[in-house]
Amino acid sequence: VIKCKAAVAWEAGKPLCIEEVEVAPPKAHEVRIKIVATAVCHTDAYTLSGADPEGCFPVILGHEGAGIVESVGEGVTKVKKGDTVIPLYIPQCGECKFCKNPKTNLCQKIRITQGKGVMPDGTSRFTCKGKQIYHFMGTSTFSEYTVVADISIAKIDAAAPLDKVCLLGCGISTGYGAAVNTAKVEPGSTCAVFGLGGVGLAVIMGCKIAGASRIIGIDINKDKYAKAKEFGATECISPQDSKKPIQEVLAEMTDGGVDYSFECIGNVGVMRAALEACHKGWGVSVIVGVAAAGQEISTRPFQLVTGRTWKGTAFGGWKSVDNVPKLVTEYMSKKIKVDEFVTHTLPFDKINEAFELMHSGK
């Protein structure tokens, strides 16, 4: 058993507490990782808020991390002690019907136990003050050591800077893949990206790499426009600057609508606007943002009858074990940006400040 520091969420809506926790050794087909760097994501904040129907407390949150394998359980063959790795919230077992189907990346092998906050055998590897602490998204990267299933881990280039590539565990991969895998953006196309946070910027990057000729960024926070343009946005607009609905504004700007739109906020009203901003006959709108539990999307069926397509994406459609190492290689060869997404680097005990910076849009 390793004793180390972790940020524990004891209950919903309260700040995280830095505590000493005990991390049990890995069981069969499990891997214990020394986490070197982790990022914070809105998904962590969503669960912490209490709005997540799958949220269990007390829990160690975090799902964008990178580290070094400390030890492996019985039967683990893909990684060994000392390997550099990224934990994966969407695993890839290679055996279930989802993994065998090229159309999806949603491996279901450990989905049920992962959603309940436990390891595949139904138990937790974390304890604190004599209490069992739940796992989060199969990763729990807000701990100096964590234990993950051996199908929830990608071995990456040992030379990669972990304080940067940890972002490939969720946000950047999700946005980039939404453009290149889910939408399959084509050269010369026109795109609209709703929400210019980390995921939205990654979508813009993907659209640019795919050869889009026009990329319109949409956000009410104008402080985000300069960064969006650095990533490839050709122009940025705010829905608050016009009395007309944003979908009408976009249709006028683009002679009938965009070829591809992306919703990167998790707001069902914006999801509708993003669909309706698409061009009749061929427009494709991709939902990337995660809406709160129980919310529903709506539009007039005529929008779809007249040739628009509504799609969704999780982790950008990447088969995780196969593709995360390739994304690291793309970053190392400067094909994709990663460093530019990092705005602040804080010590672990300032993790609550990181959440405040995220909420304030900084």
Side-chain angles (χ1 to χ4, degrees):
V1 175
I2 289 177
K3 288 186 176 182
C4 68
K5 282 197 297 188
V8 177
W10 287 105
E11 55 184 301
K14 294 282 167 67
L16 304 178
C17 297
I18 301 289
E19 306 277 11
E20 183 179 83
V21 298
E22 295 86 41
V23 185
K27 294 191 183 177
H29 294 290
E30 296 177 2
V31 178
R32 187 160 60 182
I33 306 166
K34 179 180 195 218
I35 296 289
V36 175
T38 185
V40 296
C41 170
H42 274 99
T43 311
D44 303 305
Y46 168 61
T47 298
L48 184 58
S49 74
D52 182 353
E54 274 195 337
C56 339
F57 295 89
V59 63
I60 295 173
L61 299 168
H63 62 284
E64 290 184 333
I68 310 290
V69 173
E70 177 274 333
S71 58
V72 300
E74 191 187 328
V76 175
T77 55
K78 289 184 179 164
V79 293
K80 61 184 187 306
K81 183 177 176 170
D83 282 349
T84 305
V85 294
I86 290 176
L88 306 167
Y89 73 90
I90 292 182
Q92 187 186 350
C93 71
E95 295 163 357
C96 70
K97 66 180 180 181
F98 288 79
C99 282
K100 287 180 172 167
N101 190 323
K103 295 178 180 176
T104 185
N105 63 331
L106 297 174
C107 173
Q108 296 295 295
K109 183 82 177 267
I110 58 172
R111 179 71 196 90
I112 291 168
T113 49
Q114 182 172 312
K116 289 178 178 166
V118 289
M119 295 299 289
D121 73 346
T123 62
S124 169
R125 300 292 163 269
F126 297 120
T127 49
C128 181
K129 297 179 180 172
K131 287 187 180 160
Q132 172 183 287
I133 308 290
Y134 287 107
H135 294 249
F136 177 67
M137 291 175 77
T139 53
S140 290
T141 60
F142 292 173
S143 174
E144 291 177 327
Y145 287 86
T146 189
V147 179
V148 304
D150 64 354
I151 58 171
S152 304
I153 195 165
K155 182 182 170 181
I156 62 161
D157 183 341
L162 301 187
D163 61 332
K164 305 293 192 294
V165 296
C166 61
L167 291 168
L168 293 170
C170 178
I172 298 178
S173 306
T174 298
Y176 177 42
V180 299
N181 296 331
T182 310
K184 297 183 168 60
V185 171
E186 295 148 326
S189 53
T190 298
C191 303
V193 180
F194 291 76
L196 302 176
V199 174
L201 293 175
V203 171
I204 290 171
M205 176 175 77
C207 292
K208 186 181 178 183
I209 289 169
S213 60
R214 196 170 173 196
I215 304 167
I216 304 164
I218 300 129
D219 203 299
I220 55 176
N221 181 351
K222 294 186 178 182
D223 294 341
K224 298 191 170 183
Y225 293 178
K227 196 85 166 171
K229 286 176 179 168
E230 262 176 61
F231 278 85
T234 51
E235 62 224 279
C236 293
I237 58 172
S238 168
Q240 295 176 338
D241 285 352
S242 170
K243 291 202 169 95
K244 290 180 183 168
I246 188 70
Q247 50 267 56
E248 285 181 30
V249 175
L250 285 161
E252 284 172 14
M253 287 171 67
T254 57
D255 185 28
V258 297
D259 302 313
Y260 300 97
S261 70
F262 301 86
E263 198 280 352
C264 308
I265 302 161
N267 177 309
V268 292
V270 179
M271 290 172 189
R272 177 173 188 160
L275 175 78
E276 294 175 0
C278 283
H279 202 288
K280 183 190 282 191
W282 63 77
V284 174
S285 187
V286 180
I287 294 173
V288 192
V290 177
Q295 296 196 326
E296 297 183 354
I297 49 173
S298 63
T299 190
R300 293 201 173 123
F302 193 68
Q303 294 285 337
L304 302 176
V305 171
T306 51
R308 292 171 192 83
T309 304
W310 221 344
K311 300 179 93 169
T313 188
F315 196 55
W318 302 107
K319 297 239 186 214
S320 58
V321 173
D322 292 345
N323 287 294
V324 168
K326 292 176 186 169
L327 290 167
V328 171
T329 303
E330 286 192 5
Y331 158 64
M332 300 290 276
S333 62
K334 298 195 163 45
K335 186 189 170 189
I336 59 170
K337 291 177 157 73
V338 173
D339 297 13
E340 293 82 355
F341 285 87
V342 179
T343 55
H344 299 76
T345 304
L346 300 163
F348 187 33
D349 56 12
K350 298 271 175 70
I351 191 161
N352 288 309
E353 279 182 37
F355 276 84
E356 285 163 24
L357 286 162
M358 181 172 64
H359 288 306
S360 65
K362 292 177 179 165

